[in-house]
Amino acid sequence: MSHADTLIPLRLCVLTVSDTRTLANDGSGDYLVQAATAAGHLIHERLLVRDDIYAMRAIVSRWIADGVVDGILVTGGTGFTGRDSTPEALLPLLDKQMPGFGELFRALSVDEIGTSALQSRAFAGLANQTFIFCLPGSTSACRTGWDKIIAAQLDARTGPCNLATLRPRLKA
């Protein structure tokens, strides 16, 4: 277990999955970009993609193959409607799943939305030494995920341990 005395800025990508939003009205993506930047991280790229399994996989595969990308924040497509396909698209790309993320996200969401939290299929994991966090599409869900989980885990100063300081040990 370790943490650092100073912030280690990570290079992050933000992907919004939506059939109806544009970059002009993407409040969830805007929030994630603003929050990550305010925390001292760098935004490598931000995109919006329709809820299409293969389009999502193509974008995320490109990012996880890029050695400079440390993490990917995905918002949208994690519900139960016929078009929600983020888990189906991205879970097969993961080398390791992070079950605690989805469990913790849903536990925190109960305080905000009650038993509706069970409809969230939020998840996270690791692919090619890149952290991937998949959140629901609402801005409040992104705020919960970032403010209560992701921000601390991507901050090298968080003790007793965090994902930022774990990065150098991810290679086999």
mmCIF file of all heavy atoms in Angstrom, residues 50-101:
data_model
loop_
_atom_site.group_PDB
_atom_site.id
_atom_site.type_symbol
_atom_site.label_atom_id
_atom_site.label_comp_id
_atom_site.label_asym_id
_atom_site.label_seq_id
_atom_site.Cartn_x
_atom_site.Cartn_y
_atom_site.Cartn_z
ATOM 1 N N ARG A 50 -22.549 7.338 -30.562
ATOM 2 C CA ARG A 50 -23.891 6.765 -30.413
ATOM 3 C C ARG A 50 -23.788 5.436 -29.674
ATOM 4 O O ARG A 50 -22.718 4.842 -29.586
ATOM 5 C CB ARG A 50 -24.558 6.606 -31.776
ATOM 6 C CG ARG A 50 -23.932 5.571 -32.648
ATOM 7 C CD ARG A 50 -24.442 5.612 -34.088
ATOM 8 N NE ARG A 50 -23.887 4.542 -34.877
ATOM 9 C CZ ARG A 50 -22.650 4.505 -35.330
ATOM 10 N NH1 ARG A 50 -21.806 5.476 -35.060
ATOM 11 N NH2 ARG A 50 -22.223 3.484 -36.048
ATOM 12 N N ASP A 51 -24.890 4.983 -29.143
ATOM 13 C CA ASP A 51 -24.900 3.742 -28.371
ATOM 14 C C ASP A 51 -24.825 2.561 -29.333
ATOM 15 O O ASP A 51 -25.817 1.929 -29.671
ATOM 16 C CB ASP A 51 -26.170 3.674 -27.508
ATOM 17 C CG ASP A 51 -25.984 2.778 -26.303
ATOM 18 O OD1 ASP A 51 -25.264 1.775 -26.418
ATOM 19 O OD2 ASP A 51 -26.561 3.090 -25.260
ATOM 20 N N ASP A 52 -23.610 2.283 -29.785
ATOM 21 C CA ASP A 52 -23.332 1.230 -30.749
ATOM 22 C C ASP A 52 -22.115 0.449 -30.244
ATOM 23 O O ASP A 52 -21.048 1.025 -30.031
ATOM 24 C CB ASP A 52 -23.049 1.841 -32.126
ATOM 25 C CG ASP A 52 -22.637 0.804 -33.131
ATOM 26 O OD1 ASP A 52 -21.422 0.508 -33.211
ATOM 27 O OD2 ASP A 52 -23.508 0.284 -33.843
ATOM 28 N N ILE A 53 -22.292 -0.829 -30.037
ATOM 29 C CA ILE A 53 -21.247 -1.659 -29.442
ATOM 30 C C ILE A 53 -19.918 -1.524 -30.176
ATOM 31 O O ILE A 53 -18.866 -1.332 -29.558
ATOM 32 C CB ILE A 53 -21.697 -3.140 -29.404
ATOM 33 C CG1 ILE A 53 -22.800 -3.323 -28.358
ATOM 34 C CG2 ILE A 53 -20.524 -4.063 -29.120
ATOM 35 C CD1 ILE A 53 -23.425 -4.720 -28.348
ATOM 36 N N TYR A 54 -19.927 -1.607 -31.479
ATOM 37 C CA TYR A 54 -18.674 -1.637 -32.230
ATOM 38 C C TYR A 54 -18.027 -0.263 -32.333
ATOM 39 O O TYR A 54 -16.797 -0.160 -32.323
ATOM 40 C CB TYR A 54 -18.898 -2.300 -33.593
ATOM 41 C CG TYR A 54 -19.407 -3.698 -33.381
ATOM 42 C CD1 TYR A 54 -20.762 -4.001 -33.528
ATOM 43 C CD2 TYR A 54 -18.553 -4.703 -32.931
ATOM 44 C CE1 TYR A 54 -21.240 -5.271 -33.265
ATOM 45 C CE2 TYR A 54 -19.028 -5.978 -32.671
ATOM 46 C CZ TYR A 54 -20.371 -6.259 -32.839
ATOM 47 O OH TYR A 54 -20.845 -7.511 -32.560
ATOM 48 N N ALA A 55 -18.825 0.779 -32.384
ATOM 49 C CA ALA A 55 -18.267 2.136 -32.384
ATOM 50 C C ALA A 55 -17.603 2.426 -31.041
ATOM 51 O O ALA A 55 -16.503 3.009 -30.996
ATOM 52 C CB ALA A 55 -19.365 3.156 -32.681
ATOM 53 N N MET A 56 -18.246 2.010 -29.942
ATOM 54 C CA MET A 56 -17.641 2.190 -28.612
ATOM 55 C C MET A 56 -16.338 1.419 -28.508
ATOM 56 O O MET A 56 -15.325 1.941 -28.037
ATOM 57 C CB MET A 56 -18.594 1.698 -27.514
ATOM 58 C CG MET A 56 -19.619 2.694 -27.091
ATOM 59 S SD MET A 56 -20.529 2.053 -25.665
ATOM 60 C CE MET A 56 -21.892 1.262 -26.499
ATOM 61 N N ARG A 57 -16.369 0.157 -28.920
ATOM 62 C CA ARG A 57 -15.165 -0.671 -28.830
ATOM 63 C C ARG A 57 -14.015 -0.086 -29.636
ATOM 64 O O ARG A 57 -12.858 -0.143 -29.209
ATOM 65 C CB ARG A 57 -15.454 -2.086 -29.328
ATOM 66 C CG ARG A 57 -16.155 -2.945 -28.334
ATOM 67 C CD ARG A 57 -16.323 -4.354 -28.851
ATOM 68 N NE ARG A 57 -17.186 -5.116 -27.951
ATOM 69 C CZ ARG A 57 -17.824 -6.208 -28.297
ATOM 70 N NH1 ARG A 57 -17.687 -6.710 -29.523
ATOM 71 N NH2 ARG A 57 -18.592 -6.829 -27.429
ATOM 72 N N ALA A 58 -14.311 0.454 -30.804
ATOM 73 C CA ALA A 58 -13.260 1.014 -31.649
ATOM 74 C C ALA A 58 -12.577 2.190 -30.957
ATOM 75 O O ALA A 58 -11.339 2.279 -30.938
ATOM 76 C CB ALA A 58 -13.844 1.447 -32.995
ATOM 77 N N ILE A 59 -13.369 3.084 -30.386
ATOM 78 C CA ILE A 59 -12.798 4.259 -29.711
ATOM 79 C C ILE A 59 -12.002 3.835 -28.489
ATOM 80 O O ILE A 59 -10.848 4.231 -28.314
ATOM 81 C CB ILE A 59 -13.914 5.248 -29.327
ATOM 82 C CG1 ILE A 59 -14.526 5.856 -30.589
ATOM 83 C CG2 ILE A 59 -13.384 6.330 -28.395
ATOM 84 C CD1 ILE A 59 -15.827 6.606 -30.349
ATOM 85 N N VAL A 60 -12.610 3.036 -27.630
ATOM 86 C CA VAL A 60 -11.947 2.649 -26.386
ATOM 87 C C VAL A 60 -10.728 1.776 -26.680
ATOM 88 O O VAL A 60 -9.686 1.912 -26.025
ATOM 89 C CB VAL A 60 -12.945 1.987 -25.408
ATOM 90 C CG1 VAL A 60 -12.232 1.419 -24.192
ATOM 91 C CG2 VAL A 60 -14.008 3.008 -24.981
ATOM 92 N N SER A 61 -10.800 0.914 -27.679
ATOM 93 C CA SER A 61 -9.634 0.097 -28.051
ATOM 94 C C SER A 61 -8.470 0.979 -28.488
ATOM 95 O O SER A 61 -7.311 0.709 -28.138
ATOM 96 C CB SER A 61 -9.996 -0.875 -29.172
ATOM 97 O OG SER A 61 -10.885 -1.855 -28.706
ATOM 98 N N ARG A 62 -8.763 2.023 -29.248
ATOM 99 C CA ARG A 62 -7.710 2.949 -29.684
ATOM 100 C C ARG A 62 -7.070 3.620 -28.472
ATOM 101 O O ARG A 62 -5.840 3.728 -28.389
ATOM 102 C CB ARG A 62 -8.288 3.995 -30.640
ATOM 103 C CG ARG A 62 -7.254 5.004 -31.133
ATOM 104 C CD ARG A 62 -7.776 5.888 -32.250
ATOM 105 N NE ARG A 62 -8.988 6.595 -31.940
ATOM 106 C CZ ARG A 62 -9.042 7.763 -31.285
ATOM 107 N NH1 ARG A 62 -7.931 8.329 -30.867
ATOM 108 N NH2 ARG A 62 -10.204 8.360 -31.080
ATOM 109 N N TRP A 63 -7.893 4.026 -27.526
ATOM 110 C CA TRP A 63 -7.352 4.695 -26.338
ATOM 111 C C TRP A 63 -6.529 3.748 -25.463
ATOM 112 O O TRP A 63 -5.481 4.139 -24.959
ATOM 113 C CB TRP A 63 -8.473 5.329 -25.528
ATOM 114 C CG TRP A 63 -9.056 6.570 -26.143
ATOM 115 C CD1 TRP A 63 -8.517 7.364 -27.106
ATOM 116 C CD2 TRP A 63 -10.314 7.169 -25.824
ATOM 117 N NE1 TRP A 63 -9.356 8.418 -27.402
ATOM 118 C CE2 TRP A 63 -10.467 8.324 -26.627
ATOM 119 C CE3 TRP A 63 -11.335 6.839 -24.927
ATOM 120 C CZ2 TRP A 63 -11.584 9.149 -26.557
ATOM 121 C CZ3 TRP A 63 -12.454 7.663 -24.864
ATOM 122 C CH2 TRP A 63 -12.572 8.808 -25.676
ATOM 123 N N ILE A 64 -7.005 2.520 -25.278
ATOM 124 C CA ILE A 64 -6.239 1.610 -24.415
ATOM 125 C C ILE A 64 -4.950 1.144 -25.098
ATOM 126 O O ILE A 64 -4.016 0.741 -24.425
ATOM 127 C CB ILE A 64 -7.073 0.409 -23.894
ATOM 128 C CG1 ILE A 64 -7.574 -0.466 -25.025
ATOM 129 C CG2 ILE A 64 -8.198 0.877 -23.005
ATOM 130 C CD1 ILE A 64 -8.354 -1.687 -24.575
ATOM 131 N N ALA A 65 -4.888 1.238 -26.409
ATOM 132 C CA ALA A 65 -3.660 0.890 -27.134
ATOM 133 C C ALA A 65 -2.656 2.039 -27.130
ATOM 134 O O ALA A 65 -1.473 1.827 -27.405
ATOM 135 C CB ALA A 65 -3.989 0.501 -28.571
ATOM 136 N N ASP A 66 -3.110 3.241 -26.790
ATOM 137 C CA ASP A 66 -2.257 4.435 -26.756
ATOM 138 C C ASP A 66 -1.530 4.464 -25.412
ATOM 139 O O ASP A 66 -2.149 4.656 -24.365
ATOM 140 C CB ASP A 66 -3.120 5.677 -26.932
ATOM 141 C CG ASP A 66 -2.315 6.950 -27.054
ATOM 142 O OD1 ASP A 66 -1.153 6.986 -26.587
ATOM 143 O OD2 ASP A 66 -2.850 7.933 -27.600
ATOM 144 N N GLY A 67 -0.241 4.301 -25.415
ATOM 145 C CA GLY A 67 0.538 4.205 -24.192
ATOM 146 C C GLY A 67 0.521 5.432 -23.300
ATOM 147 O O GLY A 67 0.923 5.348 -22.135
ATOM 148 N N VAL A 68 0.055 6.569 -23.789
ATOM 149 C CA VAL A 68 0.030 7.770 -22.945
ATOM 150 C C VAL A 68 -1.273 7.919 -22.157
ATOM 151 O O VAL A 68 -1.346 8.730 -21.251
ATOM 152 C CB VAL A 68 0.304 9.068 -23.746
ATOM 153 C CG1 VAL A 68 1.643 8.991 -24.476
ATOM 154 C CG2 VAL A 68 -0.822 9.386 -24.687
ATOM 155 N N VAL A 69 -2.290 7.144 -22.484
ATOM 156 C CA VAL A 69 -3.584 7.258 -21.802
ATOM 157 C C VAL A 69 -3.550 6.429 -20.515
ATOM 158 O O VAL A 69 -3.296 5.232 -20.546
ATOM 159 C CB VAL A 69 -4.743 6.804 -22.718
ATOM 160 C CG1 VAL A 69 -6.069 6.825 -21.956
ATOM 161 C CG2 VAL A 69 -4.816 7.688 -23.959
ATOM 162 N N ASP A 70 -3.823 7.102 -19.406
ATOM 163 C CA ASP A 70 -3.830 6.442 -18.097
ATOM 164 C C ASP A 70 -5.216 5.952 -17.697
ATOM 165 O O ASP A 70 -5.334 4.973 -16.960
ATOM 166 C CB ASP A 70 -3.332 7.402 -17.014
ATOM 167 C CG ASP A 70 -1.913 7.855 -17.250
ATOM 168 O OD1 ASP A 70 -1.038 6.985 -17.431
ATOM 169 O OD2 ASP A 70 -1.674 9.081 -17.252
ATOM 170 N N GLY A 71 -6.247 6.650 -18.141
ATOM 171 C CA GLY A 71 -7.594 6.283 -17.735
ATOM 172 C C GLY A 71 -8.645 6.792 -18.697
ATOM 173 O O GLY A 71 -8.417 7.744 -19.449
ATOM 174 N N ILE A 72 -9.792 6.127 -18.667
ATOM 175 C CA ILE A 72 -10.917 6.471 -19.533
ATOM 176 C C ILE A 72 -12.157 6.581 -18.665
ATOM 177 O O ILE A 72 -12.456 5.683 -17.877
ATOM 178 C CB ILE A 72 -11.120 5.398 -20.619
ATOM 179 C CG1 ILE A 72 -9.858 5.250 -21.472
ATOM 180 C CG2 ILE A 72 -12.342 5.728 -21.475
ATOM 181 C CD1 ILE A 72 -9.847 4.027 -22.376
ATOM 182 N N LEU A 73 -12.873 7.690 -18.817
ATOM 183 C CA LEU A 73 -14.131 7.914 -18.131
ATOM 184 C C LEU A 73 -15.236 7.841 -19.172
ATOM 185 O O LEU A 73 -15.245 8.608 -20.131
ATOM 186 C CB LEU A 73 -14.149 9.291 -17.457
ATOM 187 C CG LEU A 73 -12.972 9.607 -16.534
ATOM 188 C CD1 LEU A 73 -13.013 11.072 -16.098
ATOM 189 C CD2 LEU A 73 -12.965 8.677 -15.341
ATOM 190 N N VAL A 74 -16.161 6.894 -18.995
ATOM 191 C CA VAL A 74 -17.265 6.704 -19.933
ATOM 192 C C VAL A 74 -18.557 7.032 -19.204
ATOM 193 O O VAL A 74 -18.769 6.590 -18.077
ATOM 194 C CB VAL A 74 -17.317 5.251 -20.464
ATOM 195 C CG1 VAL A 74 -18.478 5.058 -21.428
ATOM 196 C CG2 VAL A 74 -15.991 4.870 -21.112
ATOM 197 N N THR A 75 -19.424 7.801 -19.843
ATOM 198 C CA THR A 75 -20.721 8.105 -19.266
ATOM 199 C C THR A 75 -21.811 7.736 -20.262
ATOM 200 O O THR A 75 -21.723 8.065 -21.442
ATOM 201 C CB THR A 75 -20.844 9.587 -18.839
ATOM 202 O OG1 THR A 75 -22.185 9.835 -18.395
ATOM 203 C CG2 THR A 75 -20.490 10.553 -19.953
ATOM 204 N N GLY A 76 -22.812 7.007 -19.778
ATOM 205 C CA GLY A 76 -23.953 6.651 -20.610
ATOM 206 C C GLY A 76 -23.954 5.199 -21.045
ATOM 207 O O GLY A 76 -22.929 4.519 -21.050
ATOM 208 N N GLY A 77 -25.150 4.721 -21.356
ATOM 209 C CA GLY A 77 -25.320 3.382 -21.899
ATOM 210 C C GLY A 77 -25.246 2.260 -20.887
ATOM 211 O O GLY A 77 -25.090 1.099 -21.256
ATOM 212 N N THR A 78 -25.367 2.571 -19.578
ATOM 213 C CA THR A 78 -25.222 1.539 -18.557
ATOM 214 C C THR A 78 -26.555 1.083 -17.966
ATOM 215 O O THR A 78 -26.565 0.320 -17.008
ATOM 216 C CB THR A 78 -24.319 2.022 -17.398
ATOM 217 O OG1 THR A 78 -24.922 3.163 -16.785
ATOM 218 C CG2 THR A 78 -22.926 2.352 -17.894
ATOM 219 N N GLY A 79 -27.668 1.544 -18.518
ATOM 220 C CA GLY A 79 -28.979 1.169 -17.985
ATOM 221 C C GLY A 79 -29.494 -0.120 -18.591
ATOM 222 O O GLY A 79 -28.732 -0.954 -19.084
ATOM 223 N N PHE A 80 -30.834 -0.265 -18.583
ATOM 224 C CA PHE A 80 -31.468 -1.499 -19.030
ATOM 225 C C PHE A 80 -32.290 -1.349 -20.303
ATOM 226 O O PHE A 80 -32.911 -2.306 -20.741
ATOM 227 C CB PHE A 80 -32.396 -2.051 -17.928
ATOM 228 C CG PHE A 80 -31.672 -2.868 -16.906
ATOM 229 C CD1 PHE A 80 -31.362 -2.343 -15.675
ATOM 230 C CD2 PHE A 80 -31.281 -4.167 -17.180
ATOM 231 C CE1 PHE A 80 -30.693 -3.090 -14.725
ATOM 232 C CE2 PHE A 80 -30.612 -4.929 -16.240
ATOM 233 C CZ PHE A 80 -30.319 -4.386 -15.011
ATOM 234 N N THR A 81 -32.320 -0.170 -20.903
ATOM 235 C CA THR A 81 -33.138 -0.026 -22.103
ATOM 236 C C THR A 81 -32.531 -0.820 -23.249
ATOM 237 O O THR A 81 -31.376 -1.260 -23.184
ATOM 238 C CB THR A 81 -33.296 1.453 -22.524
ATOM 239 O OG1 THR A 81 -32.050 1.928 -23.036
ATOM 240 C CG2 THR A 81 -33.767 2.318 -21.363
ATOM 241 N N GLY A 82 -33.279 -0.955 -24.296
ATOM 242 C CA GLY A 82 -32.818 -1.725 -25.449
ATOM 243 C C GLY A 82 -31.562 -1.167 -26.085
ATOM 244 O O GLY A 82 -30.779 -1.910 -26.677
ATOM 245 N N ARG A 83 -31.336 0.127 -25.977
ATOM 246 C CA ARG A 83 -30.164 0.743 -26.586
ATOM 247 C C ARG A 83 -28.958 0.798 -25.647
ATOM 248 O O ARG A 83 -27.862 1.131 -26.081
ATOM 249 C CB ARG A 83 -30.500 2.167 -27.055
ATOM 250 C CG ARG A 83 -31.493 2.236 -28.186
ATOM 251 C CD ARG A 83 -30.940 1.763 -29.504
ATOM 252 N NE ARG A 83 -29.808 2.572 -29.915
ATOM 253 C CZ ARG A 83 -28.859 2.160 -30.724
ATOM 254 N NH1 ARG A 83 -28.889 0.956 -31.221
ATOM 255 N NH2 ARG A 83 -27.861 2.947 -31.048
ATOM 256 N N ASP A 84 -29.128 0.541 -24.353
ATOM 257 C CA ASP A 84 -28.012 0.612 -23.404
ATOM 258 C C ASP A 84 -27.088 -0.590 -23.596
ATOM 259 O O ASP A 84 -27.464 -1.719 -23.299
ATOM 260 C CB ASP A 84 -28.530 0.640 -21.963
ATOM 261 C CG ASP A 84 -29.234 1.940 -21.619
ATOM 262 O OD1 ASP A 84 -28.789 2.994 -22.111
ATOM 263 O OD2 ASP A 84 -30.203 1.904 -20.852
ATOM 264 N N SER A 85 -25.879 -0.338 -24.100
ATOM 265 C CA SER A 85 -24.990 -1.462 -24.415
ATOM 266 C C SER A 85 -23.537 -1.238 -24.013
ATOM 267 O O SER A 85 -22.651 -1.958 -24.471
ATOM 268 C CB SER A 85 -25.076 -1.786 -25.909
ATOM 269 O OG SER A 85 -24.733 -0.656 -26.689
ATOM 270 N N THR A 86 -23.283 -0.270 -23.136
ATOM 271 C CA THR A 86 -21.901 -0.020 -22.726
ATOM 272 C C THR A 86 -21.260 -1.245 -22.064
ATOM 273 O O THR A 86 -20.130 -1.611 -22.417
ATOM 274 C CB THR A 86 -21.804 1.228 -21.833
ATOM 275 O OG1 THR A 86 -22.249 2.361 -22.608
ATOM 276 C CG2 THR A 86 -20.390 1.476 -21.355
ATOM 277 N N PRO A 87 -21.932 -1.918 -21.114
ATOM 278 C CA PRO A 87 -21.287 -3.115 -20.538
ATOM 279 C C PRO A 87 -20.997 -4.195 -21.584
ATOM 280 O O PRO A 87 -19.911 -4.792 -21.572
ATOM 281 C CB PRO A 87 -22.301 -3.606 -19.496
ATOM 282 C CG PRO A 87 -23.067 -2.380 -19.125
ATOM 283 C CD PRO A 87 -23.175 -1.594 -20.409
ATOM 284 N N GLU A 88 -21.934 -4.422 -22.478
ATOM 285 C CA GLU A 88 -21.734 -5.445 -23.519
ATOM 286 C C GLU A 88 -20.584 -5.062 -24.441
ATOM 287 O O GLU A 88 -19.846 -5.929 -24.932
ATOM 288 C CB GLU A 88 -23.017 -5.652 -24.320
ATOM 289 C CG GLU A 88 -24.135 -6.325 -23.546
ATOM 290 C CD GLU A 88 -24.819 -5.427 -22.505
ATOM 291 O OE1 GLU A 88 -24.739 -4.185 -22.598
ATOM 292 O OE2 GLU A 88 -25.430 -5.980 -21.577
ATOM 293 N N ALA A 89 -20.412 -3.767 -24.679
ATOM 294 C CA ALA A 89 -19.349 -3.310 -25.564
ATOM 295 C C ALA A 89 -17.979 -3.375 -24.908
ATOM 296 O O ALA A 89 -17.003 -3.805 -25.524
ATOM 297 C CB ALA A 89 -19.629 -1.869 -26.017
ATOM 298 N N LEU A 90 -17.898 -2.950 -23.643
ATOM 299 C CA LEU A 90 -16.590 -2.721 -23.053
ATOM 300 C C LEU A 90 -16.099 -3.788 -22.082
ATOM 301 O O LEU A 90 -14.886 -3.946 -21.916
ATOM 302 C CB LEU A 90 -16.570 -1.342 -22.378
ATOM 303 C CG LEU A 90 -16.890 -0.175 -23.323
ATOM 304 C CD1 LEU A 90 -16.763 1.152 -22.599
ATOM 305 C CD2 LEU A 90 -16.032 -0.206 -24.573
ATOM 306 N N LEU A 91 -16.988 -4.526 -21.446
ATOM 307 C CA LEU A 91 -16.520 -5.582 -20.541
ATOM 308 C C LEU A 91 -15.587 -6.577 -21.234
ATOM 309 O O LEU A 91 -14.584 -6.990 -20.643
ATOM 310 C CB LEU A 91 -17.697 -6.304 -19.880
ATOM 311 C CG LEU A 91 -18.344 -5.568 -18.704
ATOM 312 C CD1 LEU A 91 -19.662 -6.241 -18.296
ATOM 313 C CD2 LEU A 91 -17.394 -5.485 -17.516
ATOM 314 N N PRO A 92 -15.851 -6.962 -22.504
ATOM 315 C CA PRO A 92 -14.930 -7.909 -23.160
ATOM 316 C C PRO A 92 -13.515 -7.345 -23.368
ATOM 317 O O PRO A 92 -12.581 -8.116 -23.585
ATOM 318 C CB PRO A 92 -15.599 -8.186 -24.508
ATOM 319 C CG PRO A 92 -17.039 -7.906 -24.281
ATOM 320 C CD PRO A 92 -17.066 -6.755 -23.317
ATOM 321 N N LEU A 93 -13.347 -6.027 -23.298
ATOM 322 C CA LEU A 93 -12.030 -5.428 -23.491
ATOM 323 C C LEU A 93 -11.178 -5.459 -22.228
ATOM 324 O O LEU A 93 -9.960 -5.269 -22.301
ATOM 325 C CB LEU A 93 -12.166 -3.969 -23.956
ATOM 326 C CG LEU A 93 -12.900 -3.728 -25.274
ATOM 327 C CD1 LEU A 93 -12.947 -2.234 -25.571
ATOM 328 C CD2 LEU A 93 -12.251 -4.491 -26.411
ATOM 329 N N LEU A 94 -11.810 -5.686 -21.082
ATOM 330 C CA LEU A 94 -11.088 -5.609 -19.816
ATOM 331 C C LEU A 94 -10.184 -6.823 -19.579
ATOM 332 O O LEU A 94 -10.587 -7.961 -19.799
ATOM 333 C CB LEU A 94 -12.065 -5.490 -18.649
ATOM 334 C CG LEU A 94 -12.953 -4.252 -18.626
ATOM 335 C CD1 LEU A 94 -13.862 -4.282 -17.403
ATOM 336 C CD2 LEU A 94 -12.130 -2.976 -18.663
ATOM 337 N N ASP A 95 -8.984 -6.554 -19.104
ATOM 338 C CA ASP A 95 -8.086 -7.611 -18.651
ATOM 339 C C ASP A 95 -8.461 -8.037 -17.238
ATOM 340 O O ASP A 95 -8.350 -9.208 -16.893
ATOM 341 C CB ASP A 95 -6.635 -7.119 -18.650
ATOM 342 C CG ASP A 95 -6.165 -6.707 -20.037
ATOM 343 O OD1 ASP A 95 -6.556 -7.364 -21.019
ATOM 344 O OD2 ASP A 95 -5.420 -5.715 -20.130
ATOM 345 N N LYS A 96 -8.878 -7.057 -16.434
ATOM 346 C CA LYS A 96 -9.305 -7.309 -15.063
ATOM 347 C C LYS A 96 -10.494 -6.420 -14.752
ATOM 348 O O LYS A 96 -10.487 -5.236 -15.072
ATOM 349 C CB LYS A 96 -8.183 -6.991 -14.063
ATOM 350 C CG LYS A 96 -6.986 -7.893 -14.184
ATOM 351 C CD LYS A 96 -5.939 -7.573 -13.148
ATOM 352 C CE LYS A 96 -4.745 -8.519 -13.341
ATOM 353 N NZ LYS A 96 -3.741 -8.338 -12.307
ATOM 354 N N GLN A 97 -11.500 -6.997 -14.115
ATOM 355 C CA GLN A 97 -12.633 -6.209 -13.654
ATOM 356 C C GLN A 97 -12.357 -5.692 -12.252
ATOM 357 O O GLN A 97 -11.552 -6.260 -11.516
ATOM 358 C CB GLN A 97 -13.902 -7.048 -13.669
ATOM 359 C CG GLN A 97 -14.349 -7.407 -15.075
ATOM 360 C CD GLN A 97 -15.698 -8.089 -15.091
ATOM 361 O OE1 GLN A 97 -16.579 -7.773 -14.313
ATOM 362 N NE2 GLN A 97 -15.850 -9.046 -16.001
ATOM 363 N N MET A 98 -13.019 -4.599 -11.895
ATOM 364 C CA MET A 98 -12.914 -3.992 -10.580
ATOM 365 C C MET A 98 -14.313 -4.031 -9.949
ATOM 366 O O MET A 98 -15.016 -3.017 -9.913
ATOM 367 C CB MET A 98 -12.425 -2.542 -10.729
ATOM 368 C CG MET A 98 -12.008 -1.861 -9.461
ATOM 369 S SD MET A 98 -11.557 -0.120 -9.728
ATOM 370 C CE MET A 98 -10.330 -0.191 -11.022
ATOM 371 N N PRO A 99 -14.754 -5.202 -9.477
ATOM 372 C CA PRO A 99 -16.124 -5.346 -8.985
ATOM 373 C C PRO A 99 -16.490 -4.354 -7.886
ATOM 374 O O PRO A 99 -17.631 -3.906 -7.802
ATOM 375 C CB PRO A 99 -16.179 -6.781 -8.451
ATOM 376 C CG PRO A 99 -15.057 -7.493 -9.111
ATOM 377 C CD PRO A 99 -13.997 -6.458 -9.370
ATOM 378 N N GLY A 100 -15.530 -3.993 -7.054
ATOM 379 C CA GLY A 100 -15.809 -3.073 -5.961
ATOM 380 C C GLY A 100 -16.300 -1.721 -6.414
ATOM 381 O O GLY A 100 -17.047 -1.043 -5.698
ATOM 382 N N PHE A 101 -15.920 -1.300 -7.628
ATOM 383 C CA PHE A 101 -16.361 0.006 -8.112
ATOM 384 C C PHE A 101 -17.873 0.033 -8.291
ATOM 385 O O PHE A 101 -18.555 0.918 -7.774
ATOM 386 C CB PHE A 101 -15.668 0.391 -9.426
ATOM 387 C CG PHE A 101 -16.202 1.684 -9.979
ATOM 388 C CD1 PHE A 101 -15.761 2.892 -9.480
ATOM 389 C CD2 PHE A 101 -17.171 1.684 -10.972
ATOM 390 C CE1 PHE A 101 -16.266 4.095 -9.962
ATOM 391 C CE2 PHE A 101 -17.690 2.871 -11.461
ATOM 392 C CZ PHE A 101 -17.230 4.080 -10.956
#
